[in-house]
Amino acid sequence: TAGNNANTERMKSLANLGNTVSNLAFDIGKKKRIKEGQIEGAKAGTEAAETGVAPVEKGNFIPRIFDDAFNDAQQGAYLASVDNQAITKLGELESQFGYDVEGYQKTSKGMLDGLVKNAPEAYLQPLTESINNYISRGSMRVNNNIVKRGQEETKDELLGAVATYGRKASADARNGEDDAKDDALAKLQLSADALVQSGVWSKEEAKEKVRLAKNETIEQEYLQIVDDMPMAEATRVIEQG
């Protein structure tokens, strides 16, 4: 009848409402347990990394909401914390072995072994790969330091050579030693060319340095002439060039 049908529909509606409320309550409880698991897991993972102990996962063969959230958060926090430790220690090693690639790599390997020795098997691969990447980048920076220092040393040596050969050419000219003067000027020219090739000087700068050195030798030659001859004769020789 119509009355019975109406009662039946009301009972179905109430049943559906009860199921909805029950499902909603379950979802709220699930989210709460997930959040609790994440908080506890993150805390446990960070503490394990800081104290150097192996993190312990929760649960058994039956999946559990809290345990799964805890384990995921613990692993993430543990890996992040150990990663940060590695970055800090590797930065210190870069300062200590700024010009020693072999020393940096050897010490870094020892540091890596110490950081991962208590890590669970499941954590080893991502952790080792991450830290090895940091070590590789650090090795490149240390190697670049060596290259730059070598370039600076070469630059300083060449600049010193230019100054030395310039002084020698001037002294040889003053002493009337033409062959020695020419040899010093030739070596000065080679050093200047090397500075151009290494990018320290432009061609114009090198040309100007050589010109100044040659002018200095000419002045010294004139002074030598003046010292060795009577003034009138020295003047005549200089004017004749």
Side-chain angles (χ1 to χ4, degrees):
T1 64
N4 289 333
N5 289 336
N7 288 333
T8 300
E9 290 301 321
R10 282 197 296 271
M11 293 298 294
K12 287 181 179 181
S13 296
L14 290 173
N16 290 335
L17 178 60
N19 290 333
T20 300
V21 172
S22 178
N23 290 336
L24 180 60
F26 176 80
D27 288 341
I28 293 173
K30 178 180 178 180
K31 291 178 180 178
K32 180 180 179 182
R33 292 298 285 165
I34 290 174
K35 188 65 175 179
E36 291 172 348
Q38 291 172 338
I39 293 173
E40 292 298 319
K43 180 180 178 181
T46 301
E47 289 180 352
E50 291 176 349
T51 57
V53 301
V56 179
E57 294 195 346
K58 292 184 177 295
N60 47 39
F61 294 108
I62 302 175
R64 296 184 178 180
I65 295 172
F66 177 90
D67 293 347
D68 289 345
F70 177 94
N71 293 336
D72 289 343
Q74 178 177 244
Q75 180 174 357
Y78 180 84
L79 295 177
S81 184
V82 175
D83 240 24
N84 287 332
Q85 291 179 37
I87 292 171
T88 299
K89 292 181 179 180
L90 287 173
E92 295 171 354
L93 292 180
E94 277 191 51
S95 298
Q96 182 179 352
F97 298 96
Y99 299 97
D100 181 2
V101 174
E102 183 178 353
Y104 171 80
Q105 291 176 337
K106 182 178 179 180
T107 309
S108 297
K109 178 62 167 57
M111 181 218 68
L112 170 61
D113 292 341
L115 283 176
V116 304
K117 66 179 180 181
N118 291 324
E121 187 69 26
Y123 297 11
L124 276 178
Q125 182 177 351
L127 193 57
T128 302
E129 287 181 357
S130 177
I131 297 176
N132 273 329
N133 284 334
Y134 296 142
I135 292 175
S136 295
R137 289 196 288 270
S139 296
M140 291 177 62
R141 286 191 291 270
V142 173
N143 187 67
N144 287 338
N145 290 342
I146 296 172
V147 171
K148 289 179 180 177
R149 185 171 71 175
Q151 291 173 338
E152 287 297 320
E153 289 177 351
T154 300
K155 170 186 171 182
D156 290 342
E157 289 176 1
L158 290 171
L159 290 172
V162 168
T164 298
Y165 290 133
R167 289 193 297 270
K168 187 176 186 308
S170 177
D172 291 338
R174 188 73 173 81
N175 295 327
E177 299 175 1
D178 290 341
D179 289 342
K181 175 204 70 176
D182 292 341
D183 181 67
L185 286 175
K187 290 178 179 177
L188 187 152
Q189 180 70 63
L190 290 174
S191 299
D193 291 342
L195 285 165
V196 172
Q197 293 173 4
S198 62
V200 178
W201 280 355
S202 67
K203 290 182 179 180
E204 291 72 20
E205 288 175 314
K207 185 176 180 179
E208 179 64 11
K209 291 290 184 181
V210 173
R211 186 188 69 80
L212 291 173
K214 288 181 177 179
N215 286 348
E216 175 64 21
T217 62
I218 293 173
E219 291 179 9
Q220 294 300 322
E221 287 174 344
Y222 287 163
L223 290 174
Q224 190 268 336
I225 292 172
V226 171
D227 286 346
D228 293 348
M229 299 179 181
M231 181 58 67
E233 185 178 353
T235 301
R236 180 177 57 80
V237 171
I238 293 173
E239 287 177 349
Q240 290 177 350

